[in-house]
Amino acid sequence: METRKLGQQGLEVSALGLGCMGMSDFYGSRDETESVATINRALDLGVTFLDTADMYGVGANEELVGRVVRERREWIVVATKFGNVRGSDGSFKGINGRPDYVRSACDASLKRTGLDVIDLYYQHRVDPDVPIEETVGAMADLVRAGKVKYLGLSEAAPATIRRAHAVHPITALQTEYSLWSRDVEDQILPTVRELGIGFVPYSPLGRGFLTGQFKTPDDLDAGDTRRNHPRFQGAAFQKNLDLVAAIGTMAADKGCTPAQLALAWVLRQGEDIVPIPGTKRRKYLDDNVGALDVELSDADLARIDDIFPRGAAQGTRYPAASMASIDA
């Protein structure tokens, strides 16, 4: 497995990570047996970078990841997040970046995972009511206390990233990035590269849309939150489906799957980029890892831009309420 460096503080991870969110929440039914098998399969394939958060399954996802990795801990990098607060019933309670909450959230994550230290600790969303200096200052205290190794931010704006990095080195920024979400290319990617911060794209397969597996909205489970996303609704769904069909044609020409082509494109955007495609099934994991063997020439990249130009995806990437916390 190829490895890549995130940031300038010494963190090195597999070139492809595994997003574990869908194993416990948001994307329909759960199958813990298959989820455990998927994580173990990822580790067997050399995927050393696992991504979770305290809000996924209201803590259940951290518990799941922790149970699997503890037996093979020495070479696994576990990233988790705090800041999106949910009630025990799953209801969203808001964003919290207060220093006292940072400390309590970290202790709770350590307890759920059963780990002695969190490798990479992200602020999941920026709290608009708490100066970023206060939040990151509390996160830095966790590093000094030996509870956390490296710090990260998620969906932070360039100015926020700069202010945070001035308090304590930020190792990684996690933000959505894929063929159909490329707005980070304007300011965010240049900012993190200027500061020496690694970039971790989540949803690099467009929440699964870019795989070509969805033909109608009815292909999503009844409880799947993607049904509420504008890109998965109405006329936008069909327009986006047409774009994916064109990617499918190119993938066939390249002898790979649409998912592999989409992931290979993200990987080709820079050695400082480590995408974390999420899956809860081994068959999709194997397909994703196969993207590392897909080589894209400059001509291939130009063809992709022609058939899936920047901004071509229809609809916003989240419902309006969730978009308010993006790029904060």
Side-chain angles (χ1 to χ4, degrees):
M1 173 66 70
E2 173 192 349
T3 61
R4 293 185 171 185
K5 293 180 179 180
L6 287 176
Q8 299 179 331
Q9 290 74 52
L11 182 58
E12 188 167 336
V13 299
S14 53
L16 201 68
L18 174 63
C20 299
M21 180 191 77
M23 297 176 181
S24 304
D25 217 343
F26 301 114
Y27 288 176
S29 61
R30 306 181 192 181
D31 182 341
E32 186 160 312
T33 299
E34 179 62 20
S35 293
V36 168
T38 299
I39 296 175
N40 278 315
R41 173 65 174 162
L43 300 176
D44 290 341
L45 291 172
V47 175
T48 64
F49 189 32
L50 304 180
D51 184 87
T52 182
D54 60 3
M55 74 169 292
Y56 301 159
V58 195
N61 197 244
E62 286 185 325
E63 293 173 351
L64 171 67
V65 170
R67 285 198 305 273
V68 178
V69 305
R70 282 196 294 269
E71 295 180 0
R72 308 163 78 166
R73 175 62 172 139
E74 66 277 2
W75 49 272
I76 301 168
V77 175
V78 175
T80 191
K81 315 175 196 73
F82 74 92
N84 281 326
V85 186
R86 296 175 73 186
S88 59
D89 61 352
S91 59
F92 184 62
K93 301 295 186 180
I95 299 171
N96 194 336
R98 296 194 307 269
D100 59 338
Y101 181 77
V102 174
R103 291 187 287 270
S104 64
C106 178
D107 288 342
S109 289
L110 286 169
K111 182 177 180 179
R112 281 190 292 267
T113 59
L115 302 178
D116 294 327
V117 63
I118 295 169
D119 298 302
L120 177 58
Y121 200 40
Y122 293 102
Q123 182 183 21
H124 206 162
R125 291 292 186 271
V126 175
D127 187 341
D129 298 323
V130 178
I132 192 66
E133 290 83 358
E134 293 184 15
T135 303
V136 174
M139 295 169 71
D141 287 342
L142 297 174
V143 175
R144 287 186 282 270
K147 296 181 178 182
V148 169
K149 290 183 180 179
Y150 304 99
L151 302 184
L153 301 175
S154 179
E155 292 289 0
T160 305
I161 297 167
R162 291 183 184 280
R163 289 167 56 195
H165 194 65
V167 175
H168 186 281
I170 301 299
T171 293
L173 176 75
Q174 184 176 135
T175 295
E176 185 171 350
Y177 187 39
S178 69
L179 279 173
W180 77 348
S181 294
R182 296 178 60 178
D183 49 307
V184 299
E185 294 173 355
D186 289 333
Q187 297 184 51
I188 291 181
L189 269 176
T191 298
V192 297
R193 283 174 168 159
E194 175 193 337
L195 299 175
I197 299 171
F199 188 73
V200 179
Y202 71 84
S203 296
L205 293 174
R207 305 181 197 285
F209 204 111
L210 298 176
T211 66
Q213 64 178 299
F214 303 125
K215 303 304 180 186
T216 77
D218 291 334
D219 289 334
L220 298 166
D221 290 346
D224 195 314
T225 58
R226 287 172 290 190
R227 284 177 170 266
N228 300 320
H229 289 211
R231 291 181 176 178
F232 287 82
Q233 298 175 331
F237 186 98
Q238 185 56 54
K239 173 62 176 178
N240 293 331
L241 196 63
D242 293 341
L243 293 168
V244 172
I247 286 294
T249 298
M250 180 175 174
D253 293 342
K254 292 285 294 181
C256 65
T257 66
Q260 289 171 342
L261 184 65
L263 279 176
W265 180 87
V266 175
L267 288 161
R268 187 70 157 72
Q269 301 312 302
E271 293 295 317
D272 55 347
I273 291 178
V274 179
I276 50 168
T279 184
K280 51 187 175 181
R281 297 182 178 92
R282 283 168 288 179
K283 64 178 180 178
Y284 297 132
L285 170 72
D286 288 349
D287 188 61
N288 291 345
V289 172
L292 293 164
D293 296 322
V294 177
E295 296 184 4
L296 297 179
S297 65
D298 290 342
D300 290 330
L301 295 174
R303 182 181 175 187
I304 291 172
D305 277 339
D306 285 340
I307 63 179
F308 205 132
R310 180 178 170 179
Q314 299 296 298
T316 56
R317 53 192 178 103
Y318 282 110
S322 297
M323 287 298 293
S325 63
I326 298 303
D327 195 24

